[in-house]
């Protein structure tokens, strides 16, 4: 056999047989996650990095086509005093998305956390709380009307036993704050898609069923709600892929658009220290990322709003500081290099 032909056959054989099952050598500069799927892939961005770190920006805009603000639109940032809105951070992120042809997902209008002190201490009666809710939502949604495609209108209103959280909003307005929030957002921008967003919906069927039932009833009563954000802060051990599937299917069967809105897959949920991620864990993480993307892709096209990563690199994930442990939950390492999970998605989708 001629040498050239031999090398050709050897090359072919290697493509099929010698291709490592897990690599982390795929270069993000030569690949784009957003091009591997027929739905939007998003990332929650840190306003301290976007605008300041060129490598971060480059990776955000080359890999993703949807953008969520990790913190910039939360009440403590955007509405620091009753008569004052601070648009600086949010404007920067919305402009970035627009300049790069990315969809913008607004997060989040009504939540019980990251509230400014003036709301925490607000001493109004029921009518004044209603007016506060209305002003907060309408002012923000109106400013970004036509530019923000969708909003997480209400975030984390349920607790684990399936009942409504006794949040500051609930205490002052009762359950009606949820309906009012969706109505006010819709009045301010009738074209924006409106989402309810929550965690543990795959892990906890009791909570999931309560949330879906509640939102279905609201929808039947005419409340403008388009979709459900399932956060998917999961880890390499838990929950089972079958529970992730079930969650996606039940949301879609109820006719809601599905957003995997805050995806990350932790490696080290049970201990503090993990100076280096273990090879086997990184592989497991890669498999689970692929399983989530594939299960999402199987849902009805019209209901696939997208998958959003909750952070870009392991260095900017919320998990290590929030839980005070070392962890590596995202697709890129702290040097913005591809991890096995990113390569698995690029190679298998
Ligand atoms: O990632 C966010 C982190 O930077 C904030 O400190 C934290 C405050 O609670 O909120 C994080 O984002 C949360 C999101 O807005 C709602 N779902 C849970 C997320 C992780 O806590």
């Amino acid at each position: 056999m001629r040498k050239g032909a031999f090398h050709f056959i050897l090359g072919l054989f290697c493509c099929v047989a010698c291709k490592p099952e897990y690599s982390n050598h795929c270069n993000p500069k030569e690949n784009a996650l957003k091009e591997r799927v027929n739905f939007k892939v998003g990332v929650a961005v840190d306003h301290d990095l976007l605008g300041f770190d060129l490598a971060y920006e480059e990776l955000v805009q080359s890999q993703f086509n949807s953008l969520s603000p990790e913190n910039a639109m939360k009440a403590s940032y955007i509405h620091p005093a009753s008569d004052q809105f601070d648009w600086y951070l949010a404007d920067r992120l919305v402009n970035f998305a627009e300049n790069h042809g990315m969809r913008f997902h607004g997060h989040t209008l009504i939540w019980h956390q990251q509230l400014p002190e003036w709301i925490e201490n607000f001493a109004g009666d029921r009518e004044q709380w209603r007016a506060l809710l209305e002003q907060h939502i309408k002012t923000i949604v109106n400013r970004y009307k036509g530019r923000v495609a969708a909003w997480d209108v209400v975030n984390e209103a349920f607790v684990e036993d399936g009942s409504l959280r006794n949040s500051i909003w609930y205490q002052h307005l009762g359950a009606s704050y949820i309906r009012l929030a969706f109505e006010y957002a819709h009045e301010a921008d009738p074209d924006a898609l409106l989402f309810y967003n929550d965690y543990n919906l795959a892990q906890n069927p009791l909570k999931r069923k309560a949330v879906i039932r509640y939102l279905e009833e609201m929808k039947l009563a005419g409340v403008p709600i388009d979709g459900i954000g399932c956060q998917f802060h999961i880890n390499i051990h838990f929950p089972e892929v079958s529970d992730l599937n079930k969650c996606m299917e039940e949301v879609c069967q109820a006719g809601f658009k599905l957003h995997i809105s805050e995806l990350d897959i932790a490696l080290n949920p049970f201990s503090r220290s993990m100076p280096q991620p273990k090879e086997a864990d990184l592989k497991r993480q890669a498999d689970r990322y692929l399983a989530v993307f594939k299960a999402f892709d199987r849902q009805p096209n019209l209901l696939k709003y997208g998958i959003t990563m909750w952070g870009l690199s392991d260095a900017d994930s919320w998990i290590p500081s929030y839980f005070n442990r070392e962890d590596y939950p995202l697709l890129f390492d702290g040097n913005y290099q591809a991890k096995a999970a990113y390569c698995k998605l690029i190679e298998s989708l």
Side-chain angles (χ1 to χ4, degrees), residues 70-71 74 107 111 113-114 155-156 231 233 262 310 318 322:
E70 186 177 0
N71 288 300
K74 291 170 179 172
H107 173 86
W111 193 23
Q113 284 188 34
Q114 288 178 292
N155 195 39
E156 302 172 6
Q231 295 183 4
H233 295 294
E262 304 184 12
W310 204 245
W318 67 292
Y322 193 88

Side-chain angles (χ1 to χ4, degrees), residues 22-81:
Y22 297 90
S23 77
N24 56 357
H25 299 302
C26 51
N27 186 347
K29 291 203 166 80
E30 290 157 14
N31 295 285
L33 181 56
K34 64 187 178 188
E35 281 161 18
R36 315 302 306 184
V37 288
N38 66 1
F39 50 82
K40 298 274 187 198
V41 239
V43 61
V45 292
D46 182 337
H47 55 255
D48 286 333
L49 294 172
L50 200 89
F52 302 100
D53 178 336
L54 276 178
Y56 180 92
E57 281 183 8
E58 171 58 26
L59 205 48
V60 164
Q61 59 93 7
S62 65
Q63 302 302 316
F64 300 95
N65 49 19
S66 180
L67 196 142
S68 298
E70 186 177 0
N71 288 300
M73 282 181 163
K74 291 170 179 172
S76 60
Y77 288 87
I78 208 167
H79 196 175

